[in-house]
Amino acid sequence: MIKLDSKIPDGNIAEKWTNHKFNLKLVNPANKRKYNIIVIGTGLAGASAAASLGELGYNVTAITYHDSARRAHSISAQGGINAAKNYQNDGDSVYRLFYDTVKGGDYRAREANVYRLAEVSGNIIDQCVAQGVPFAREYGGLLDNRSFGGAQVSRTFYARGQTGQQLLLGAYSALARQVNAGTVKLYTRREMLDIVVIDGMARGVVARNMVTGEIENYTGNAVILTTGGYANVFFLSTNAMMCNATAIWRAHKKGALFANPCFTQIHPTCLPLHGESQSKLTLMSESLRNDGRIWVSKLKGDMREPNDIPEEERDYFLERKYPSYGNLSPRDISSRSAKEVIDEGRGAKGQEAVYLDFEDAIKRLGRKAIEEKYGNLFEIYQTITGEDPYKVPMKIYPAPHYTMGGLWVDYNLMSTIPGLFVLGEANFSDHGANRLGASALMQGLADGYFVIPYTIGDYLATQKFPSVTTGHENFKMVDQEISETAEKLLSIKGKHTVDEIHKKLGRIMWHKVGMSRNAKGLAEAIEEIKELRKLFWQDVIVTGNGEELNQTLERAGRVADYLELGELMAVDALHREESCGGHFREEYQTEDGEAKRDDENFRYVAAWEFAGESKWKLTKEPLEFEYVKLSQRSYK
Amino acid sequence: MSGNNLNLKLKIWKQKGPNTAGSFVNYDVSVSPDASFLEMLDELNDRLERNNEEPVSFESDCREGICGTCGLVINGLPHGPIPKIATCQLHMRNFKDGDTIYIEPFRAKAFPVIKDLIVDRSGLDRVIEAGGYVSVNTGSAVDANAIPISKDVASEAFDAAACIGCGACVAACKNGSAMLFVSAKVSHLALLPQGYPERFKRVEAMVKVMDELGFGACTNTYVCEAECPKGISVKNIARMNREFINAKIKSKTVEV
Ligand SMILES: Cc1cc2nc3c(=O)[nH]c(=O)nc-3n(C[C@H](O)[C@H](O)[C@H](O)COP(=O)(O)OP(=O)(O)OC[C@H]3O[C@@H](n4cnc5c(N)ncnc54)[C@H](O)[C@@H]3O)c2cc1C
């Protein structure tokens, strides 16, 4: 069994990172260009890492399946990015951001990592502003902040409703500068399909050229995965269409432990389903909850138009249940509360939706003020639904949005495979069982700009690297596996399309491994997923061939991986006999229906080792809380 | 919300690769008016795949109008008939039962077709690589509030920075010019104090690469602005022209 060493430095929490940086070995500046670092992904985490490492003088190979580094899923983040600048003088501090994040994650994250995240958060904002990121400003010319996703201080920096876009374009521009300088070689339209481990170290990757179908080999001294989250295992999620788990899943099968796979976040404010052909779900920024009020009718099966339901017959359920946080209660709690009222039969006009109403805000602040704050979001809503949210309350419903779980990494962001580092949403590190709003962008950029440039140097400086070429037999083996899998997929020629099977998997995941879970449902899900996987490998149809651009083949490979990952998510959810954050087990709740943690038995990170089809070994990393007091989260 | 399905005739451009000839292929579909345009193509592809027929290759990712991946010419218009949205935000309720819809890739000299509706827009990245950035290394930034920027200027810079890099401006232009795209980045950075020091070098370098890559000249027809899903203004082109002239005046090595 693998022994996990989190490598958390000694000392007071406020000094750990500083001391650690001092203790890390440095690579001689003249030697840096001799090291080749492969970065998979050019989202916030990947672009920031590749650019920063290029600036330091390393030889960087950056690979993305997108046609341009500017298009990663990070681009669609709307709401904002947190940082403990305390520009608003409202009592924020590094310590408070740290504390809120650990608490928000329901005490399932590592204190030391979270503290470091809070500590570097301010530098991120400085860096982005210097790149020309046009954050919102006040009339005095200084940066504006808002409170976001359940925070009681205003620490969120934002760029209209397009924060992710502007941050990514900033990181992308830094990357473009390094491409121009020749320190980064960028390969677009390449899908990494496996890593290559030689003498126990990650020494390269194998990717498919998505235009020609060629299998390409890349060697390096270290590999960094920044490939994002896996919420698309649910088929319908707020993630971009191409987001997938293939990179981390294949690394998992090569020996990287997968941590807390069941910790997924269901976001409360998404647009409801319109029908069978629905391809993804659209997020409406959580910032809407700052002014919008969430409600349903007090009556079951109420088919009246929302504007015909009088005030006294409305149930503002979040305000009622959580008077001090109200509509700003954390995501897991808000989503679950919406599900509860819908399960009671009180959804908007009998549908799977609740109202998000701006009538009071418009009365209080005027239409113009609301337009200024949320104009583009209201437009998006109207384009998609054909309804005018200035006049009729929006309808919203929860949707899978973010995955807190991911590959296990130590304090240096290295996985259990030496030389394989994992950053951004792809790792499990900082958000515990629930992520706070505006903290994913912060984490991706913290990892890429301010953590990996230090920690990877220590790894490179302390290893001996036998020379490796793409002719090595391990490359050949992986190449062959990949070609065989593709041939297999193309030769089945069955009856079920890839999307059809993906949708089926999504339904199993949503109903049984989704917002609330129980032992019976999870056990069923495991069996159903196995059945579905069998069906896939016997009866899927993948058109075309492998020697050309073939989007069906691309999707088939991704769905094949989801069909394994989905099972592990259910296995993890079944084993965790407690409720915490986004993981709600119906058997473990308090009298008033809140998540009931079991700190005695489950205060650990569950790290799973792949041991053959449907087999995993569990290793536990106990979590110690020295600074944050464990308590039941209360937002009442 | 939901109404009756729409029955439509699609004429979709199919092309094996950059060096083969393409042509329109006809498909009949029946689709819910609540579906998006791309969901209609998903359904069509699902049907084709089920029959072991080659699906239509097209690109999309966020489906929220921000990543800039999707881009189809629909009935002759980049991103379709509704102004200020990307293809993925177009919904079928904007069409009528019985309509015939032509679907083509973004066409321009600098955007070779890769397959069917997918084109190669990497030229836009080459232009950014030439200078579309502020040269600031990680770690060397001053405090974010050290340089106040007036709200109006920040807002103007934002308007330019909102470009999603989809290339509709190039596809809309009869000359295949990338002036709107390039000028948006030049403006965004020239307006901000952070971008000020490199402004002349930047505009010269970006324009040079733009010309080399075969993007055409600007003849002020303004269709780029009309077709831009983000409404990027042609005022940026005027600003870039000014920047460029100033750069040439300042520059010691005037090329003719
Ligand atoms: C709609 C939406 C709104 C959000 N809003 C916010 C917000 O307001 N604030 C906040 O903090 N967070 C928000 N989030 C979460 C946040 O956007 C993401 O967690 C974060 O951007 C992930 O960044 P990343 O760099 O880890 O991954 P991504 O941005 O997903 O990038 C992944 C990269 O990896 C590449 N890649 C993946 N697999 C492969 C492979 N096999 N081969 C080659 N390349 C590969 C992709 O091409 C891409 O470049 C939001 C998320 C969504 C879905």
Side-chain angles (χ1 to χ4, degrees):
Chain A
M1 177 150 330
I2 290 183
K3 173 124 181 41
L4 294 176
D5 179 2
S6 59
K7 304 229 173 72
I8 297 172
D10 293 334
N12 185 286
I13 192 140
E15 287 152 18
K16 281 184 198 290
W17 179 231
T18 309
N19 293 341
H20 188 64
K21 280 193 287 187
F22 181 73
N23 292 328
L24 290 173
K25 294 266 175 320
L26 300 174
V27 177
N28 178 324
N31 282 340
K32 286 204 175 102
R33 67 185 162 75
K34 296 182 190 153
Y35 290 104
N36 195 351
I37 301 172
I38 303 173
V39 181
I40 310 296
T42 58
L44 282 179
S48 59
S52 304
L53 294 169
E55 288 162 10
L56 286 171
Y58 293 110
N59 222 327
V60 179
T61 301
I63 295 177
T64 167
Y65 61 62
H66 282 95
D67 69 313
S68 160
R70 67 182 293 146
R71 306 208 201 280
H73 166 59
S74 294
I75 201 118
S76 50
Q78 303 169 349
I81 175 167
N82 287 330
K85 282 284 199 186
N86 194 31
Y87 283 158
Q88 304 306 323
N89 197 30
D90 58 357
D92 200 13
S93 62
V94 167
Y95 205 83
R96 188 179 295 282
L97 175 54
F98 152 69
Y99 207 96
D100 286 356
T101 307
V102 174
K103 178 185 171 200
D106 221 357
Y107 311 97
R108 291 295 174 263
R110 248 185 232 147
E111 280 189 338
N113 284 57
V114 178
Y115 193 92
R116 174 176 65 190
L117 174 66
E119 192 177 338
V120 303
S121 64
N123 301 77
I124 297 172
I125 305 302
D126 300 342
Q127 189 63 33
C128 296
V129 167
Q131 291 167 347
V133 170
F135 283 120
R137 289 180 181 267
E138 293 170 348
Y139 282 103
L142 302 181
L143 294 164
D144 191 19
N145 292 112
R146 60 184 173 200
S147 137
F148 194 77
Q152 290 192 316
V153 290
S154 290
R155 62 159 74 100
T156 304
F157 294 78
Y158 64 102
R160 293 192 194 150
Q162 287 146 254
T163 315
Q165 181 202 23
Q166 294 307 319
L167 294 176
L168 183 61
L169 292 182
Y172 158 80
S173 73
L175 178 68
R177 177 170 162 246
Q178 293 311 304
V179 170
N180 193 45
T183 59
V184 177
K185 281 211 175 53
L186 176 63
Y187 297 89
T188 57
R189 295 192 189 274
R190 307 292 202 291
E191 182 152 30
M192 184 208 107
L193 294 179
D194 216 335
I195 61 165
V196 178
V197 180
I198 295 173
D199 300 329
M201 295 189 282
R203 292 305 304 273
V205 300
V206 177
R208 179 173 180 272
N209 182 320
M210 295 156 82
V211 176
T212 63
E214 270 162 287
I215 300 299
E216 301 174 341
N217 294 330
Y218 300 84
T219 61
N221 299 89
V223 176
I224 305 177
L225 300 184
T226 69
T227 49
Y230 51 90
N232 274 351
V233 68
F234 290 92
F235 186 77
L236 288 177
S237 84
T238 62
N239 284 199
M241 300 298 287
M242 294 195 282
C243 287
N244 69 81
T246 289
I248 55 172
W249 191 251
R250 310 256 168 120
H252 171 58
K253 290 174 82 173
K254 280 275 184 300
L257 266 53
F258 206 118
N260 299 334
C262 80
F263 287 171
T264 45
Q265 178 167 82
I266 313 287
H267 196 292
T269 56
C270 305
L271 297 186
L273 281 174
H274 68 68
E276 262 304 295
S277 66
Q278 185 104 23
S279 58
K280 75 169 292 250
L281 294 168
T282 304
L283 176 76
M284 293 311 291
S285 168
E286 183 158 48
S287 60
L288 292 168
R289 293 203 273 148
N290 285 341
D291 288 299
R293 298 180 69 197
I294 296 177
W295 62 275
V296 288
S297 169
K298 285 184 180 163
L299 308 174
K300 285 185 187 173
D302 191 339
M303 299 304 281
R304 285 177 290 179
E305 290 297 327
N307 289 337
D308 295 339
I309 301 179
E311 190 60 27
E312 61 281 5
E313 289 174 33
R314 299 178 177 191
D315 176 16
Y316 296 89
F317 53 92
L318 287 175
E319 296 173 24
R320 170 171 57 80
K321 287 169 63 183
Y322 308 100
S324 68
Y325 279 70
N327 295 301
L328 290 174
S329 298
R331 292 178 177 174
D332 49 343
I333 289 179
S334 305
S335 294
R336 217 158 41 239
S337 302
K339 182 178 189 302
E340 263 167 39
V341 295
I342 289 166
D343 289 349
E344 289 167 21
R346 298 199 283 136
K349 289 175 80 182
Q351 294 169 3
E352 297 221 312
V354 300
Y355 294 116
L356 176 63
D357 195 341
F358 288 86
E359 192 184 345
D360 288 344
I362 293 173
K363 270 192 207 139
R364 184 162 41 94
L365 306 164
R367 174 168 167 143
K368 196 156 175 280
I370 295 298
E371 237 173 62
E372 228 168 65
K373 273 191 176 161
Y374 309 113
N376 66 328
L377 298 170
F378 278 41
E379 269 173 43
I380 295 177
Y381 183 85
Q382 189 159 8
T383 317
I384 297 177
T385 63
E387 291 183 345
D388 178 1
Y390 291 101
K391 299 200 176 107
V392 187
M394 287 185 180
K395 285 206 236 17
I396 55 166
Y397 193 62
H401 176 61
Y402 182 88
T403 46
M404 282 74 71
L407 292 186
W408 184 91
V409 289
D410 63 17
Y411 188 72
N412 294 323
L413 303 182
M414 189 162 89
S415 72
T416 48
I417 299 176
L420 181 73
F421 294 79
V422 191
L423 323 182
E425 193 174 339
N427 74 23
F428 88 106
S429 69
D430 297 352
H431 307 293
N434 174 55
R435 173 176 72 77
L436 292 181
S439 286
L441 302 180
M442 169 171 73
Q443 184 225 329
L445 291 178
D447 290 358
Y449 284 133
F450 297 111
V451 179
I452 195 71
Y454 293 90
T455 59
I456 205 167
D458 184 69
Y459 173 77
L460 295 171
T462 53
Q463 300 299 315
K464 287 225 161 13
F465 293 99
S467 99
V468 157
T469 66
T470 54
H472 193 282
E473 58 179 306
N474 291 14
F475 271 100
K476 288 192 188 139
M477 244 156 53
V478 173
D479 287 356
Q480 197 181 340
E481 275 167 28
I482 288 173
S483 308
E484 281 171 8
T485 309
E487 274 161 36
K488 173 114 198 274
L489 286 169
L490 288 160
S491 65
I492 300 170
K493 293 281 183 272
K495 291 190 294 296
H496 303 278
T497 62
V498 174
D499 269 11
E500 183 192 328
I501 292 181
H502 193 179
K503 282 184 188 176
K504 282 202 176 113
L505 174 66
R507 273 192 288 269
I508 300 173
M509 298 303 292
W510 177 243
H511 290 297
K512 296 185 171 165
V513 199
M515 233 183 309
S516 77
R517 305 152 172 187
N518 60 54
K520 182 169 163 285
L522 289 165
E524 285 165 8
I526 292 171
E527 291 313 311
E528 288 168 27
I529 295 168
K530 281 189 197 162
E531 278 303 306
L532 192 60
R533 192 163 66 223
K534 223 193 275 164
L535 179 80
F536 177 85
W537 285 105
Q538 283 170 359
D539 210 10
V540 74
I541 177 152
V542 181
T543 51
N545 64 62
E547 289 82 52
E548 58 175 7
L549 189 147
N550 185 339
Q551 295 175 313
T552 317
L553 180 62
E554 289 163 19
R555 277 185 287 119
R558 296 168 192 169
V559 171
D561 292 337
Y562 288 140
L563 286 164
E564 298 178 11
L565 167 59
E567 183 182 347
L568 178 60
M569 290 168 71
V571 166
D572 185 42
L574 183 60
H575 117 280
R576 191 169 278 279
E577 295 177 331
E578 65 162 350
S579 294
C580 58
H583 170 65
F584 190 76
R585 279 284 300 265
E586 287 156 14
E587 304 94 319
Y588 309 100
Q589 45 181 310
T590 62
E591 271 167 23
D592 43 2
E594 302 300 335
K596 194 163 153 198
R597 282 198 331 267
D598 179 352
D599 291 331
E600 206 160 299
N601 296 305
F602 289 95
R603 204 187 63 228
Y604 60 76
V605 175
W608 300 90
E609 183 184 351
F610 184 75
E613 187 176 339
S614 291
K615 287 200 204 75
W616 286 276
K617 281 191 217 136
L618 173 64
T619 305
K620 300 173 183 175
E621 180 200 336
L623 292 166
E624 306 301 336
F625 293 93
E626 274 182 75
Y627 296 87
V628 176
K629 199 168 144 293
L630 288 168
S631 62
Q632 197 203 320
R633 279 193 313 166
S634 170
Y635 294 93
K636 299 223 153 159
Chain B
M1 266 208 258
S2 170
N4 292 335
N5 269 15
L6 306 172
N7 295 302
L8 304 164
K9 289 202 178 316
L10 306 181
K11 292 182 177 292
I12 303 181
W13 187 261
K14 296 276 292 172
Q15 182 173 340
K16 268 251 160 251
N19 303 318
T20 46
S23 62
F24 285 103
V25 176
N26 298 333
Y27 302 94
D28 290 333
V29 295
S30 164
V31 62
S32 152
D34 288 330
S36 72
F37 197 85
L38 297 182
E39 284 168 349
M40 170 186 72
L41 294 181
D42 290 341
E43 276 186 33
L44 169 66
N45 278 348
D46 201 61
R47 188 181 89 200
L48 294 172
E49 285 174 27
R50 204 176 297 279
N51 299 331
N52 198 17
E53 288 171 49
E54 162 111 310
V56 178
S57 299
F58 69 95
E59 287 189 292
S60 80
D61 200 26
C62 75
R63 298 213 175 176
E64 296 186 1
I66 193 76
C67 72
T69 308
C70 67
L72 302 176
V73 175
I74 299 166
N75 288 338
L77 297 169
H79 294 307
I82 309 292
K84 290 203 185 167
I85 56 170
T87 305
C88 62
Q89 295 168 293
L90 179 62
H91 281 70
M92 296 317 295
R93 70 177 74 87
N94 295 298
F95 295 87
K96 286 194 310 295
D97 191 43
D99 278 356
T100 297
I101 307 175
Y102 285 83
I103 307 172
E104 296 167 77
F106 278 6
R107 296 185 195 276
K109 184 174 163 217
F111 290 170
V113 170
I114 294 176
K115 188 175 179 185
D116 296 348
L117 303 170
I118 301 178
V119 299
D120 178 359
R121 292 168 288 188
S122 56
L124 300 179
D125 292 314
R126 301 292 90 75
V127 178
I128 298 294
E129 284 157 15
Y133 40 75
V134 174
S135 297
V136 51
N137 281 355
T138 302
S140 53
V142 297
D143 184 85
N145 260 348
I147 309 171
I149 302 172
S150 96
K151 193 175 164 80
D152 295 341
V153 170
S155 174
E156 212 181 335
F158 192 105
D159 289 340
C163 166
I164 59 173
C166 64
C169 49
V170 180
C173 176
K174 64 179 167 45
N175 308 323
S177 164
M179 283 292 270
L180 192 66
F181 170 83
V182 180
S183 68
K185 187 47 66 187
V186 166
S187 289
H188 158 214
L189 295 175
L191 281 161
L192 296 172
Q194 288 81 6
Y196 200 83
E198 294 172 280
R199 57 198 289 214
F200 295 134
K201 193 171 150 239
R202 175 180 310 118
V203 69
E204 283 192 286
M206 290 176 76
V207 169
K208 182 161 174 277
V209 171
M210 174 183 83
D211 290 342
E212 284 167 6
L213 290 172
F215 291 105
C218 172
T219 47
N220 299 315
T221 62
Y222 301 161
V223 282
C224 51
E225 179 182 300
E227 297 302 337
C228 174
K230 294 293 149 184
I232 304 284
S233 162
V234 290
K235 275 194 264 174
N236 291 304
I237 298 182
R239 184 180 291 109
M240 175 159 107
N241 285 335
R242 271 199 316 275
E243 291 284 317
F244 190 72
I245 291 167
N246 284 336
K248 284 293 172 206
I249 294 168
K250 293 263 165 25
S251 142
K252 298 266 177 328
T253 53
V254 183
E255 291 168 48
V256 274

